[in-house]
Amino acid sequence: MDNPHKKPYVPSIEVSANNPCPFLRGLVGEGFVDGGTVPLTTLSQTIANASGEKGLKKVSARIQVRGVALIANGFGHILRSIWSGAQLDALRGGPLDKLGAGSRILGVDGKVNEDEIARLASFGRSYTDPNGGGSEPGLNAAEIDIFMRDNLKRAGHAARWYYPLLMKFEWPILLKIMGKVDGKGDRYLSIADVRTLFNARQFPDRINRRIVSQPLLSACALRFRWALGLAALLLAVGVAALVAVAEFPNQVRAMLPQKGILAQLIPPPLPKLPETTAAYWLEQNWSLKDRHWFHHASQGTATFPVPYNWFMALEQPRLRLVSRPGMLSDSAYLERFGFIPSPKSIQTDATTLRHFGYANVYDTTQPPDWSTRWTAAENVDGLPVGFARMTGVVDPATGRREADKIGLTCAACHTGQIHYKGIDVRFDGGPAMTDLKKLELTTGLSIAYTLYVPFRFQRFADRVLGSDASKADRDALKQQLGAIGKFLIDWQTRYDDTVHGKKQADTEEGFGRLDALNRIGNQVFSQDFALSGVKGFEKNLHAQDAPVSYPAIWTVPWFKFAQYDASIEQPLIRNAGEGLGVTALLNLSDAYPEDRLLRSSVHIRTLGWIEDLLRGSDPFKMADPSFSGLLAPKWPSQILDDAWKLKPDRVERGRAIYAEMCSGCHLPPVNTPAFWSSGHWEPSGDSKVLNAVTIPTEEIKTDPQQSLVLGNRTVDVPGFLKVNTADLKTWWQCDIPTASSPTEMSYALGLMTVVDLVARKWMDDEKTPDAERAQLWNLARKNCLNPAPGPRYRARPLNGIWATAPYLHNGSVPSLYWLLKPQNERPTKFCMGRRDYDPVTVGFAITAGERCKTGETEFSAGITGNSVLGHSFERKDGEPKQPGVIGRMFKDDSERYDLIEYLKTL
């Protein structure tokens, strides 16, 4: 190869006819590059020098030339081109040779066709030569484009689809490099320069000067420049990625594989928080003090993996380029997970109370207080409903005092609200519209960001320890936080591996649903062992594949069975099991004295108080029986617009339809004598409980998954725990056997026995008097398996049904309207989150093919636990009863809306 620093050859040398590219022929002819194989770096540098570009534009030119040169000899030559270079004397017939679809100025024999140059000139016009002042023929960009299009047209079927793309790198590039600018500022390609380039293989002097004045870089200099460029590119990509994640985290996360590690490093998207113009808590027979107490009374749970003051010091897992992220505990942030804001105290002014929705309660006659007799519940930091601070914490294994913990209480899952045109209507005991999985992920990421994002731990330590804390204290704090973060990551890995090994998969719970039964089992029979230092019980883990809508709990204390699957009769076992599932501290280790086994932080007495508050007075001690305690919320027509006003004529027609089609399973309305005289009321001690209708899953045909959890799942326990399920029969005089292996048992028997032992241990430690024990246990309610055969679901009375959307136990039907439609017509997909309530269909109005807004979760049928079938009204006259069909088909929508109107009144 000749030295490109020499002046160009005069005259130029001959060039192979197999090099059909006029620009490359000029480079070879004048000696700037060799006529055979030319390294890509040499070729790209030379052409970039000829372009006259500077800086990034020159870099771009080199990259473009490399790309074209890489394929110039064909795709089979790419590796050779990378290693040795482009072979300029073998371009004929390659991708750059358009085989007659080009200008045809240069023949296959290398001779120039003057007629074709004249044809080229015919597409242009005269321009003023900026060098001599005279006029000369030439073509501007638009004229060159017309010329190229005519070439393709002339070629006819010989033109291939990619030729227009190749042409962009020919005549337009010649115009860019060799073009002149006339007095009007119009850039044109001189026909004279084209003729010289084709005939003499020479460039204009100005092009030669560009090439000669810019020496080619050495291989070493090139490598350094590439390394520098690569570093700059990586830095730019890193900055761009940082900006994208900081400013558009939801969009970035959506583009990544959702199960990949990168997506897991970005917090899950949350719905935007629309402006609330007004809020109202509906009256439900609770005083203001009782309501606030229920919202924040600790059950003894430590749901969050860090102490209370650490949680308050954590920041939201969001990157900020300038400002600092908000706090994880900010109420407005937690509201985006579906939680309801709550005041720090109810001992405040009326304006503040009204802001939080207590206006209607404040302005009306208050029921008497119950909770003033019990341990006070505080909310000094203004956390949302359902967040509780556990004080006086003692490690159940070591007996050491520990920092206050933060956990969720009943109200986190059983306090509801609906949104309508900027108004929030709130009620206790209803299903929450929260997404606890997103909160779990976000909390874990907040810990990770605190550990690894620059400056964040420093701020965290300042909040926890104070700005004057020593380095040793800060290092110890970071070590503790790091250990928590490592445990969370390791545990998630073990969970994923175990579930995958069992060929199971989680079903997304989303807003308004939770697989409580499987979560409790995973916590008590697996994670609590790991937290206690007992290894090997990851095998008890099970996928969260049976999500259900949070059940309404008003009047539930008077039901024999509270759960959908009618599984647990004993109220304290039900409530203490829930407390353990929400991560109460529990010692399951034999590394400590035996009397500490099964010791927990569950506060049994508080659970009793909560049950009392929900239950109220005995209705059978009244002249006219009726529920007290927490009552179902009434249809809020008095505080919302005309769409909520009840239609009396429809109500009356619906009343008759309810009696015909609903009361057989759901019983008469709770405010009627027929309800209180029902044969489903059974004696229970000196009172009664309602043994509601239960229907086998084979008959009702709604999704069976939740009904199978307790019966089908098995768990292992270590022998040292002495979990003897046969004790249940002894303690409670159960009618059916409860014996099983001491180390392997059904989940139902294992859970009932372990929770029973935990409750007894608490009472023993507290030296609870026998009279109080009897009251806490409600001894008439047995801790025994439901003797009914096979899996089944309970049909509860429908008081407050309007406030419990979405419907069916698994939250698979968005409104009452769709519940009353034949099962195969129900929507199979809909979005959940912070969406408006529809008072017409009673639930959530959906549209076919709707796309979820940012942060919403999608319910999708066809996944384990997500069936929309069963409980269908579709039987036609004369047809026999079929599984899943519980009633006749409605005559029309008008009849459906009659029943819906009546259901609003219950």
Side-chain angles (χ1 to χ4, degrees):
M1 172 181 161
D2 293 301
N3 187 349
H5 295 286
K6 291 173 55 178
K7 290 183 179 181
Y9 296 156
V10 180
S12 65
I13 63 174
E14 291 295 326
V15 179
S16 170
N18 287 324
N19 181 348
C21 176
F23 194 85
L24 293 178
R25 291 176 67 83
L27 291 179
V28 174
E30 293 194 309
F32 292 116
V33 297
D34 188 73
T37 300
V38 182
L40 298 186
T41 54
T42 300
L43 193 61
S44 61
Q45 280 192 83
T46 304
I47 296 178
N49 289 345
S51 71
E53 299 287 10
K54 304 293 182 183
L56 291 178
K57 288 186 176 180
K58 187 174 182 179
V59 172
S60 175
R62 288 204 304 268
I63 293 173
Q64 290 182 54
V65 171
R66 264 183 175 272
V68 174
L70 193 63
I71 63 168
N73 294 111
F75 292 97
H77 196 277
I78 287 179
L79 291 178
R80 186 176 172 187
S81 296
I82 293 173
W83 184 257
S84 303
Q87 193 172 345
L88 301 190
D89 57 359
L91 297 178
R92 182 71 68 182
L96 301 187
D97 185 3
K98 289 178 291 302
L99 304 174
S103 67
R104 301 184 185 177
I105 293 176
L106 190 71
V108 294
D109 55 0
K111 294 182 180 179
V112 176
N113 188 330
E114 286 292 338
D115 290 339
E116 292 295 337
I117 293 180
R119 175 176 171 272
L120 169 66
S122 70
F123 284 89
R125 57 187 174 88
S126 294
Y127 290 86
T128 302
D129 185 351
N131 298 321
S135 65
E136 62 174 341
L139 290 85
N140 64 14
E143 292 159 349
I144 286 175
D145 185 65
I146 295 172
F147 168 67
M148 293 190 300
R149 289 176 183 274
D150 195 70
N151 290 342
L152 291 173
K153 183 178 179 181
R154 179 173 63 172
H157 294 299
R160 299 186 181 181
W161 65 268
Y162 58 86
Y163 282 1
L165 180 64
L166 291 178
M167 288 180 171
K168 293 179 184 289
F169 295 95
E170 294 181 348
W171 291 101
I173 295 298
L174 280 179
L175 173 65
K176 188 173 184 179
I177 296 177
M178 295 174 50
K180 302 177 182 179
V181 180
D182 69 1
K184 298 179 180 179
D186 200 2
R187 191 175 189 84
Y188 71 96
L189 181 63
S190 167
I191 295 297
D193 288 344
V194 171
R195 180 174 282 109
T196 300
L197 180 60
F198 273 95
N199 284 310
R201 301 171 299 284
Q202 291 180 337
F203 295 114
D205 288 342
R206 64 185 183 280
I207 306 302
N208 289 332
R209 284 195 296 271
R210 288 179 193 165
I211 300 174
V212 171
S213 65
Q214 300 179 78
L216 298 181
L217 297 175
S218 67
C220 180
L222 274 174
R223 284 194 291 270
F224 175 77
R225 175 172 285 188
W226 273 106
L228 193 64
L230 181 60
L233 177 63
L234 291 175
L235 179 61
V237 169
V239 171
L242 180 63
V243 171
V245 171
E247 299 300 325
F248 311 103
N250 297 335
Q251 292 86 338
V252 172
R253 196 179 200 275
M255 291 188 294
L256 298 171
Q258 292 306 292
K259 293 189 177 180
I261 190 170
L262 292 179
Q264 301 306 312
L265 295 176
I266 301 174
L270 301 173
K272 290 183 178 179
L273 203 62
E275 181 182 1
T276 298
T277 58
Y280 299 94
W281 283 97
L282 299 181
E283 293 189 49
Q284 295 175 264
N285 198 44
W286 273 1
S287 72
L288 183 59
K289 290 179 181 178
D290 291 347
R291 177 163 263 159
H292 197 257
W293 182 89
F294 174 72
H295 292 170
H296 301 289
S298 173
Q299 306 172 105
T301 58
T303 314
F304 297 90
V306 294
Y308 182 90
N309 64 326
W310 292 20
F311 180 83
M312 300 304 298
L314 288 172
E315 295 175 357
Q316 298 166 18
R318 174 129 188 214
L319 299 178
R320 294 288 187 184
L321 299 180
V322 181
S323 62
R324 294 181 182 179
M327 304 306 295
L328 181 64
S329 58
D330 285 350
S331 181
Y333 183 64
L334 294 174
E335 285 178 58
R336 297 178 68 188
F337 294 91
F339 293 99
I340 301 171
S342 182
K344 295 180 179 180
S345 170
I346 56 167
Q347 305 300 327
T348 186
D349 59 275
T351 301
T352 301
L353 290 175
R354 288 189 175 92
H355 171 75
F356 286 96
Y358 291 113
N360 63 316
V361 177
Y362 190 83
D363 292 339
T364 57
T365 303
Q366 290 280 303
D369 298 323
W370 284 55
S371 59
T372 51
R373 298 171 286 174
W374 306 326
T375 303
E378 297 180 343
N379 188 34
V380 294
D381 292 300
L383 293 171
V385 168
F387 285 72
R389 181 174 189 167
M390 178 167 58
T391 59
V393 181
V394 176
D395 186 306
T398 65
R400 289 195 302 263
R401 283 294 300 267
E402 292 197 350
D404 292 355
K405 307 292 186 183
I406 179 170
L408 298 178
T409 186
C410 297
C413 301
H414 300 289
T415 306
Q417 70 173 338
I418 59 173
H419 315 288
Y420 180 76
K421 296 183 178 180
I423 297 174
D424 289 351
V425 177
R426 299 164 180 167
F427 38 87
D428 282 303
M433 194 52 65
T434 54
D435 190 329
L436 295 188
K437 174 60 76 174
K438 286 191 176 187
L439 182 61
E440 290 172 356
L441 294 173
T442 300
T443 303
L445 281 174
S446 178
I447 293 171
Y449 279 37
T450 301
L451 289 167
Y452 299 112
V453 174
F455 312 115
R456 197 163 291 200
F457 179 78
Q458 177 72 27
R459 299 195 296 267
F460 173 78
D462 286 347
R463 297 184 188 109
V464 173
L465 302 173
S467 57
D468 57 348
S470 66
K471 183 179 183 301
D473 288 343
R474 291 173 183 271
D475 290 344
L477 178 64
K478 191 165 190 176
Q479 185 177 21
Q480 291 174 293
L481 188 65
I484 293 171
K486 183 177 185 304
F487 176 83
L488 294 177
I489 293 172
D490 291 346
W491 184 255
Q492 187 61 48
T493 301
R494 277 180 275 177
Y495 175 85
D496 292 340
D497 291 345
T498 302
V499 167
H500 179 74
K502 292 182 177 182
K503 294 181 171 55
Q504 299 170 354
D506 287 347
T507 297
E508 183 179 19
E509 295 162 321
F511 281 97
R513 301 200 308 167
L514 195 76
D515 183 359
L517 286 181
N518 275 319
R519 280 175 171 265
I520 291 172
N522 291 344
Q523 183 64 46
V524 175
F525 292 104
S526 191
Q527 190 173 81
D528 280 338
F529 280 116
L531 291 169
S532 297
V534 181
K535 298 181 179 179
F537 288 90
E538 294 83 2
K539 59 188 175 183
N540 285 336
L541 287 168
H542 193 286
Q544 296 165 14
D545 59 3
V548 296
S549 178
Y550 300 108
I553 60 173
W554 46 74
T555 62
V556 155
W558 293 101
F559 299 168
K560 185 172 184 177
F561 297 104
Q563 284 92 347
Y564 290 117
D565 62 349
S567 55
I568 297 177
E569 176 186 354
Q570 225 297 317
L572 184 55
I573 297 299
R574 169 191 3 115
N575 295 331
E578 175 266 332
L580 290 174
V582 190
T583 324
L585 306 180
L586 176 63
N587 176 39
L588 297 177
S589 171
D590 62 347
Y592 301 93
E594 187 175 0
D595 67 344
R596 296 180 186 178
L597 269 178
L598 297 168
R599 182 172 287 167
S600 77
S601 64
V602 175
H603 200 293
I604 299 297
R605 188 172 285 117
T606 300
L607 293 177
W609 293 336
I610 293 173
E611 188 77 5
D612 289 345
L613 188 61
L614 291 167
R615 182 171 51 231
S617 302
D618 188 341
F620 294 99
K621 300 296 190 291
M622 305 177 188
D624 295 315
S626 63
F627 289 122
S628 56
L630 181 66
L631 301 182
K634 296 297 183 184
W635 180 256
S637 56
Q638 75 280 11
I639 57 176
L640 296 170
D641 63 24
D642 288 345
W644 291 75
K645 292 192 180 304
L646 293 170
K647 302 174 180 62
D649 55 336
R650 278 196 179 277
V651 170
E652 288 308 309
R653 292 194 297 269
R655 190 188 308 276
I657 298 170
Y658 180 89
E660 173 200 352
M661 301 178 69
C662 307
S663 62
C665 293
H666 294 286
L667 304 184
V670 300
N671 60 352
T672 63
F675 173 77
W676 294 102
S677 62
S678 167
H680 286 276
W681 284 103
E682 296 180 352
S684 178
D686 62 351
S687 188
K688 296 180 181 180
V689 292
L690 184 71
N691 190 1
V693 174
T694 60
I695 307 173
T697 55
E698 284 302 310
E699 180 181 339
I700 192 70
K701 282 296 182 181
T702 51
D703 191 283
Q705 199 68 14
Q706 200 252 7
S707 70
L708 302 174
V709 173
L710 287 171
N712 287 6
R713 183 174 173 180
T714 59
V715 294
D716 290 359
V717 297
F720 65 77
L721 276 185
K722 300 178 181 177
V723 178
N724 183 7
T725 60
D727 288 340
L728 294 176
K729 187 172 179 63
T730 303
W731 294 333
W732 298 97
Q733 293 78 53
C734 298
D735 296 328
I736 58 176
T738 61
S740 62
S741 162
T743 57
E744 183 179 357
M745 59 203 66
S746 76
Y747 173 32
L749 287 173
L751 183 65
M752 292 163 67
T753 306
V754 167
V755 177
D756 204 313
L757 289 168
V758 167
R760 292 172 188 271
K761 177 62 178 171
W762 184 91
M763 294 180 195
D764 290 344
D765 288 346
E766 292 292 313
K767 297 180 173 54
T768 307
D770 289 344
E772 186 182 0
R773 286 181 186 240
Q775 183 180 7
L776 288 170
W777 276 119
N778 191 352
L779 291 173
R781 307 285 293 277
K782 295 182 178 183
N783 185 20
C784 300
L785 293 171
N786 187 342
R792 56 190 51 239
Y793 287 123
R794 178 214 62 188
R796 68 161 291 154
L798 297 184
N799 49 323
I801 185 66
W802 70 268
T804 62
Y807 295 99
L808 293 184
H809 70 279
N810 63 342
S812 60
V813 182
S815 68
L816 286 179
Y817 172 79
W818 287 110
L819 185 64
L820 302 181
K821 294 280 282 186
Q823 55 190 340
N824 290 322
E825 296 181 21
R826 293 171 184 163
T828 56
K829 289 186 179 182
F830 57 90
C831 304
M832 292 302 296
R834 195 178 175 91
R835 62 184 302 167
D836 260 20
Y837 186 94
D838 177 25
V840 177
T841 61
V842 181
F844 304 105
I846 66 167
T847 56
E850 67 179 15
R851 298 185 63 181
C852 296
K853 298 176 183 177
T854 298
E856 291 182 338
T857 55
E858 182 183 71
F859 172 89
S860 181
I863 303 172
T864 301
N866 277 9
S867 171
V868 303
L869 302 179
H871 194 281
S872 184
F873 296 92
E874 58 180 84
R875 189 170 63 249
K876 297 177 182 177
D877 290 342
E879 285 187 345
K881 185 176 181 181
Q882 296 181 8
V885 179
I886 63 167
R888 66 168 175 81
M889 182 174 288
F890 283 85
K891 298 172 184 175
D892 50 28
D893 273 355
S894 180
E895 191 179 28
R896 288 188 183 90
Y897 283 120
D898 286 345
L899 177 57
I900 289 171
E901 199 73 6
Y902 177 69
L903 293 175
K904 296 175 185 179
T905 69
L906 298 181

